[in-house]
Amino acid sequence: MTLTSADERFKAQAQALGFDWHADIKIGGNYTPVISHGHEIYVSGQIPRMGDQVMAIGCVGHDISLSQAQWAAQICVIRALALLRKQLGSLAHIQQILRITVYVRSAPDFTQHSEVADGASDLLCQILGEAGRHTRTSVGVAQLPKGAAVELDLIAAV
């Protein structure tokens, strides 16, 4: 069976990752996870959290492998898409993902930040098709919230 809609592909990918897309996405602090401005929607940084548990904690290239970091980036994408879906009612309203930024908590000698971000980019294209193509920056950092290995934010056009 071919999954024809972005919403169906989202549900299938979320399930494959073990992510409960029905659950509320918890935030902490005095900010909003999603905000619209004109035809753009901004999604705040998402870490690889499922429920109350951060799924990938540590430094990529030391505590976390490249493949684990790519998986963490996919969870971040699923969280961002879940927020967009809740805001829009359907992912069909997304015309284009304009930009993602992927932050990688990395060991000093780790240089595969782009490959970590590929986990997120590939999943966006799998779910949204051409609307998932985007510009991207991947950055190595010393620390992320809750000790997460990866964080991702994005901007979408609707």
Side-chain angles (χ1 to χ4, degrees):
M1 179 175 96
T2 302
L3 301 175
T4 57
S5 76
D7 290 314
E8 289 173 334
R9 291 187 297 270
F10 164 78
K11 290 175 187 176
Q13 292 292 341
Q15 184 176 13
L17 289 169
F19 185 82
D20 180 4
W21 55 272
H22 293 292
D24 285 335
I25 295 187
K26 298 178 181 182
I27 64 164
N30 189 18
Y31 69 96
T32 183
V34 181
I35 195 163
S36 298
H37 185 265
H39 294 287
E40 294 180 349
I41 297 184
Y42 298 78
V43 179
S44 295
Q46 299 299 308
I47 61 174
R49 184 185 333 210
M50 290 193 208
D52 291 327
Q53 184 177 1
V54 179
M55 304 305 292
I57 295 174
C59 288
V60 181
H62 183 264
D63 311 303
I64 303 288
S65 70
L66 173 60
S67 63
Q68 290 171 315
Q70 290 169 326
W71 174 72
Q74 291 176 336
I75 294 170
C76 295
V77 162
I78 288 292
R79 286 175 57 91
L81 290 175
L83 288 165
L84 286 170
R85 197 166 175 269
K86 183 176 180 180
Q87 178 88 1
L88 299 170
S90 171
L91 296 177
H93 297 295
I94 296 173
Q95 290 183 356
Q96 194 72 51
I97 300 296
L98 300 173
R99 180 168 187 77
I100 69 170
T101 305
V102 179
Y103 304 90
V104 181
R105 180 179 170 207
S106 54
D109 60 345
F110 184 78
T111 60
Q112 294 179 294
H113 304 87
S114 294
E115 287 84 348
V116 172
D118 285 342
S121 294
D122 292 348
L123 189 58
L124 281 168
C125 290
Q126 287 172 17
I127 293 172
L128 299 173
E130 282 300 309
R133 295 214 176 276
H134 52 271
T135 63
R136 173 179 95 184
T137 299
S138 53
V139 181
V141 298
Q143 191 58 265
L144 288 169
K146 312 294 184 207
V150 179
E151 183 173 10
L152 173 143
D153 65 25
L154 65 77
I155 303 168
V158 293

